[in-house]
Amino acid sequence: MSRRMNQLITVGFKKWCYNISRFNQYGLWRDDLLIEDADVTEALRRLPQELKDQRNFRIVRAIQLDANKRILPEEEWTKYEEDVHYLKPYVDEVVKERKEREAWEAS
């Protein structure tokens, strides 16, 4: 297979997995679902207040929808292309700092 064909299959598979997970039907983003370990908790603490408020709104709305056994109308679902890794830069920074601290303490 050509490289282009492999990329198309990979993107198509990613979109399929994204849609079959169904969290997008509640309006959630991928980073809303991260398990809150120590690194993610610190990253959330560093997140600007506006992003925290948006995240909390999405999570509360998803909980309410799930409790009522409903989903959002399809036009309000989070699209694969629109999903943003808003927390990833903060988590990466926290992990880098932790590893530097561990290396410093080990030496």
Side-chain angles (χ1 to χ4, degrees):
M1 269 190 221
S2 71
R3 183 180 174 110
R4 174 86 171 125
M5 184 61 110
N6 283 340
Q7 288 175 341
L8 288 174
I9 291 172
T10 303
V11 170
F13 183 70
K14 285 180 181 179
K15 286 182 181 181
W16 179 78
C17 289
Y18 183 86
N19 289 323
I20 203 164
S21 66
R22 301 182 64 176
F23 66 85
N24 64 324
Q25 296 177 4
Y26 294 98
L28 293 170
W29 294 356
R30 284 177 281 210
D31 284 357
D32 295 339
L33 304 175
L34 291 177
I35 296 172
E36 292 189 25
D37 60 6
D39 294 334
V40 173
T41 301
E42 176 61 22
L44 286 170
R45 190 186 67 74
R46 297 179 184 189
L47 203 61
Q49 189 62 42
E50 182 180 341
L51 290 176
K52 281 184 199 177
D53 292 342
Q54 292 171 0
R55 178 180 191 269
N56 290 335
F57 172 79
R58 287 190 302 273
I59 291 171
V60 168
R61 179 179 60 183
I63 291 169
Q64 289 176 338
L65 287 167
D66 188 53
N68 294 326
K69 301 199 181 314
R70 299 178 58 211
I71 59 173
L72 291 172
E74 192 166 346
E75 58 273 1
E76 293 183 38
W77 292 3
T78 306
K79 310 289 186 286
Y80 176 81
E81 297 80 12
E82 297 169 356
D83 201 338
V84 177
H85 291 284
Y86 66 94
L87 197 55
K88 185 173 178 8
Y90 296 96
V91 172
D92 291 345
E93 181 181 332
V94 169
V95 169
K96 180 182 173 191
E97 289 173 4
R98 180 179 47 80
K99 288 182 179 180
E100 286 176 359
R101 190 177 330 105
E102 290 170 354
W104 176 263
E105 292 171 354
S107 61

